[in-house]
Amino acid sequence: MFYNYSYFEEEITPKDEYVEEEIEILLEQINNEKRKVMADLYNEKIRIAPEEREKEGKTINDLTCENHETRYNSFIQFSRNKKINTEIRNGDLALLTINNTDIIDKRCKIHRITSNSVSIVTEEKIPKFSKRNTAKIDLMLNETTFRRWEKNLQNLNENGKKALKFKLNRIATRTDNENKKITFFNKKLDKYQKRAIIRAVHSNDFFLIHGPFGTGKTTTIIELILQEVKQNHTVLVTGESNTSIDNILKKLKRKPDKINFTRVGTSNKIPHYLRQYTLDYKVKQYLDDNKINDVEKQEIEESILKHSDVILSTNSSAESISLSNIRFDIAIIDEASQATIPSVLIPINKAKKFVLIGDHKQLPPVIFNNSTEYLKTSLFEELIINYEHQSEELLIQYRMNEILMEFPNRKFYENKLICSEESKEYFLESRVLGKYDSTSPLVFIDTSKHKNNKEHSLDYSHSYINKLESEIVLDIINICLDNRIKPKDIGVISPYKNQVRLINKKANVDVKSVDGFQGSEKDIIIISLVRSNDNGDIGFLKDLRRLNVSLTRAKKKLIIIGNMKTLESNKDYKEFLEFCEEYAYVYMHI
C-alpha cells in the first residue's frame, strides 16, 4: 500500500521540526565520536613507537625544517628525503614535536602535504629551533571527514531531509514508474540481478539492493550505471572506501560504451593505472603548465564534471569544493551498510533519488565511541526494516565453493543463497599445505592442547596477541609459497590489531583486520582468532557480523586457527565448531 507524504505527519508537529531535531542529535553524536577518536589516537601516540605508527600512516617521522615564519602565529614547512606515505591529509589536526627540545605536542593543522614535504600552521608562536633538530607530526583527528559530515548536515536540502523522513519512517515511497523499457547490456546477469536493476531504475525515491558475499554487487552496480546513463541521467557513484570505488571504476572502464566518467579524490590514493580518469589528471590536460590560480582551476574542474555522465568518489569526497555546485539525477552508493548516516547523506543530498547497495549482515559502520548509538546503525539497515518492499536481494553466490558457503548461508542468510555452478569447482590442488591440509576446502587448526597456546595483552593496549598462532600462520604462508602459490592469492585475517602487527612484521602477504578485509577476497584465507584462555572469554569475537565477514573472504581454501576449548563456551562458535567436525579437516596442533 502507498500513502501520501502527509500521511505520517502529525498536525501538532511543525513542518520538519522532527528533522531538525534529528540533525541536532546527529551533530552531537559526531562531536562525541570526534572526542573519542582524538583520545584514542593520543593514547596510541603515547603507547606505540613512532616507527610503528608511521607504518599505519598516523605519524610522520624524521622531518627537517625548511621554512619557519612566526609573525602572528607559526607557519613551518618540513621535508625529508624518504617518501611520505601517510593517512594524514590537508586540514587534519595534529601534534608537532621537535626532538631534543621543549617543543612537544604542540597543536597544529596540516596546511599542505606532498610526497616529501609537510607544512603546518599553529595558533601559537613556535620558538625558533635548530635545523639540526628533527621533528615528528602525529595525527590527532582526520578533521576533513568530520567537517564534511557536519557541513552537509547543517546545509541539508530537500533531498537530504526527505531521506531523514524515510529514516524516521514518517513518509511512504511513491508508486514506482514502470514505463521505462530496459534492455540489458550484460547478457550474463542472473535473474536476481536483473530484478534488482529493473526495480531500482523504476523507483522514484530510493531503492535498496541487499547483496550478500560474492553475489555480484559490483556487476549489478555497473549495469545500473549503464541503464541510468542510457536514460540521459547524471549519475553520482560513491562508496565508503576508495577501494570500493576503484573496483567499480576498474570494471566501468572496460565497457565499450562511450561513457564520460570522472573519478574525484586524492590522486595518491588511487592506483596509477586508474589516474587517467581522475579529475586532477583531466585538469592537467587543459594546461600548458601548472601555473593557474584557484579560480581558474575551479572553473576548469566544474566544466569537466558538468560534462561527465558519471562521477565517482567516496562519500566524503562528494562534499569537496569541486562538486559543490553539481546536482545529479541519481546517487548510487556502494558499501552503504558500512557507512554512517552523516556519511551517506552527503551523496544523497546531491541527487533526486538514491540507491543503496550493501549487506547489513556484515560489518556495520566503524564507530569508536560506544555511546554514539545513532552512528552505529546505517541508513541501509534502518530503511530495509521499514521499507522492505523497496528492496531486492541478490542470491546467487559466485565467490566460493559450496562447503565454504554452507555455514554462513545457514547461519546468516536463512539458507537462501545458491552456489553458482562455476564456484562449485573452486578448489586448490589436494594437500598443497602439507601436514595442515586435506582435500576439504575448510581446515581448522585446534591449539587447545598445545602448552604455549595462551593469548597475551600488551601493556599499552586492550588488544591481544597469540604468538603460537602467529607462528602457525607464518608456517602456512611459507608452505604456500613453496608450493608456488602467489603472495597476492593469500590473505591473513585477525580480529585483533596487535596480532595483525605481529604477523605483518614477517609476512609478505596481505594481513589485515576483519574491517580491513571486508569487500576483499583471496584464493586462500588464514584466520587467526587469537583468544585462548581458560575462562572461555572470547571478547568481541562474539560479534557475529565479524565472524560472517571472516568466513566469507576465501574462494578456495579457508584455514582457521584457534583454541576450540575457549571458543566452544560461546553457543554460536560451538555451532560453527560442530559444523567443522562434520565438514572440515580438524588438525590438532600439539
Side-chain angles (χ1 to χ4, degrees), residues 3-14 16-19 21 161-173 383 386-387:
Y3 305 91
N4 293 326
Y5 283 117
S6 59
Y7 181 85
F8 290 96
E9 302 280 359
E10 298 178 16
E11 291 182 8
I12 59 172
T13 305
D16 288 349
E17 182 178 300
Y18 54 85
V19 172
E21 289 174 359
K161 289 179 179 178
K162 188 164 69 171
L164 285 181
K165 290 176 185 178
F166 285 127
K167 186 258 182 192
L168 295 166
N169 198 20
R170 292 278 186 162
I171 56 177
T173 55
L383 295 182
N386 294 318
Y387 300 88

Side-chain angles (χ1 to χ4, degrees), residues 72-84:
Y72 302 109
N73 47 27
S74 289
F75 171 89
I76 312 177
Q77 183 176 356
F78 298 97
S79 68
R80 75 177 191 186
N81 292 328
K82 183 182 175 184
K83 185 177 179 180
I84 296 172

Side-chain angles (χ1 to χ4, degrees), residues 108-131:
C108 63
K109 180 172 278 193
I110 305 298
H111 176 68
R112 188 166 185 269
I113 188 163
T114 70
S115 60
N116 63 357
S117 71
V118 185
S119 56
I120 59 106
V121 290
T122 70
E123 292 183 356
E124 58 181 308
K125 288 186 179 181
I126 302 294
K128 293 284 187 179
F129 53 89
S130 170
K131 291 191 175 184

Side-chain angles (χ1 to χ4, degrees), residues 20-283:
E20 298 304 323
E21 289 174 359
E22 185 75 6
I23 291 169
E24 289 304 314
I25 291 170
L26 289 169
L27 288 169
E28 182 182 359
Q29 296 273 297
I30 291 169
N31 276 325
N32 290 340
E33 178 69 4
K34 284 200 298 191
R35 285 193 288 269
K36 173 63 173 171
V37 170
M38 289 181 73
D40 287 351
L41 284 169
Y42 188 74
N43 185 53
E44 284 185 11
K45 172 190 172 298
I46 295 171
R47 303 295 184 182
I48 301 176
E51 295 76 19
E52 285 295 313
R53 277 176 58 82
E54 173 142 359
K55 288 178 184 176
E56 295 178 8
K58 297 173 184 176
T59 293
I60 307 172
N61 296 305
D62 302 321
L63 295 166
T64 56
C65 180
E66 295 290 335
N67 183 24
H68 188 172
E69 300 173 11
T70 57
R71 186 175 298 174
Y72 302 109
N73 47 27
S74 289
F75 171 89
I76 312 177
Q77 183 176 356
F78 298 97
S79 68
R80 75 177 191 186
N81 292 328
K82 183 182 175 184
K83 185 177 179 180
I84 296 172
N85 186 11
T86 184
E87 292 297 310
I88 303 174
R89 294 287 174 261
N90 297 347
D92 285 352
L93 300 182
L95 293 177
L96 169 68
T97 295
I98 309 298
N99 297 319
N100 302 315
T101 71
D102 294 330
I103 304 170
I104 298 171
D105 291 352
K106 297 295 183 182
R107 285 178 174 265
C108 63
K109 180 172 278 193
I110 305 298
H111 176 68
R112 188 166 185 269
I113 188 163
T114 70
S115 60
N116 63 357
S117 71
V118 185
S119 56
I120 59 106
V121 290
T122 70
E123 292 183 356
E124 58 181 308
K125 288 186 179 181
I126 302 294
K128 293 284 187 179
F129 53 89
S130 170
K131 291 191 175 184
R132 291 192 298 270
N133 293 108
T134 59
K136 73 182 179 84
I137 293 172
D138 289 286
L139 177 66
M140 281 308 294
L141 183 67
N142 186 327
E143 178 75 356
T144 303
T145 298
F146 288 115
R147 188 172 64 246
R148 286 172 173 172
W149 289 4
E150 291 168 334
K151 180 183 175 183
N152 185 65
L153 279 169
Q154 290 160 351
N155 295 280
L156 280 188
N157 58 28
E158 287 308 307
N159 298 325
K161 289 179 179 178
K162 188 164 69 171
L164 285 181
K165 290 176 185 178
F166 285 127
K167 186 258 182 192
L168 295 166
N169 198 20
R170 292 278 186 162
I171 56 177
T173 55
R174 292 174 290 177
T175 304
D176 290 348
N177 176 10
E178 298 186 3
N179 296 323
K180 300 172 183 176
K181 186 178 178 181
I182 291 179
T183 303
F184 291 103
F185 292 87
N186 185 346
K187 305 303 181 185
K188 296 181 179 180
L189 294 172
D190 65 50
K191 63 180 181 180
Y192 302 101
Q193 293 168 333
K194 288 179 179 177
R195 188 185 304 162
I197 291 160
I198 290 169
R199 294 202 59 207
V201 170
H202 288 162
S203 64
N204 280 309
D205 297 309
F206 72 86
F207 195 73
L208 311 171
I209 299 176
H210 178 201
F213 62 92
T215 52
K217 290 189 288 292
T218 305
T219 299
T220 305
I221 289 169
I222 297 298
E223 182 69 27
L224 180 56
I225 292 169
L226 297 176
Q227 293 295 339
E228 292 292 341
V229 172
K230 183 181 176 182
Q231 298 184 52
N232 296 317
H233 289 167
T234 52
V235 183
L236 174 63
V237 182
T238 69
E240 191 65 1
S241 70
N242 281 290
T243 302
S244 74
I245 295 305
D246 292 335
N247 285 338
I248 294 168
L249 181 53
K250 275 189 286 188
K251 287 195 173 184
L252 190 60
K253 77 181 182 68
R254 297 176 194 153
K255 296 298 172 184
D257 311 273
K258 292 183 179 179
I259 295 178
N260 187 359
F261 50 85
T262 303
R263 171 73 159 93
V264 174
T266 308
S267 292
N268 61 6
K269 282 195 166 187
I270 298 168
H272 64 89
Y273 57 87
L274 296 177
R275 286 181 190 165
Q276 62 180 301
Y277 306 106
T278 64
L279 181 60
D280 287 347
Y281 181 91
K282 290 184 177 185
V283 168

Side-chain angles (χ1 to χ4, degrees), residues 527-560:
I527 302 173
S528 170
L529 292 173
V530 176
R531 299 312 298 265
S532 181
N533 54 69
D534 298 328
N535 308 319
D537 181 7
I538 67 168
F540 76 125
L541 290 187
K542 65 184 70 168
D543 181 346
L544 288 184
R545 289 189 283 193
R546 277 192 152 70
L547 176 62
N548 186 20
V549 173
S550 301
L551 296 180
T552 55
R553 302 304 99 196
K555 296 172 67 175
K556 298 179 179 179
K557 197 84 172 183
L558 177 62
I559 305 148
I560 303 167

Side-chain angles (χ1 to χ4, degrees), residues 483-505:
N483 279 279
R484 297 183 179 179
I485 296 171
K486 296 175 182 177
K488 70 180 181 64
D489 295 326
I490 306 166
V492 179
I493 299 174
S494 180
Y496 289 93
K497 275 187 177 181
N498 285 344
Q499 186 76 345
V500 170
R501 290 188 184 110
L502 182 64
I503 297 170
N504 243 331
K505 288 177 181 178

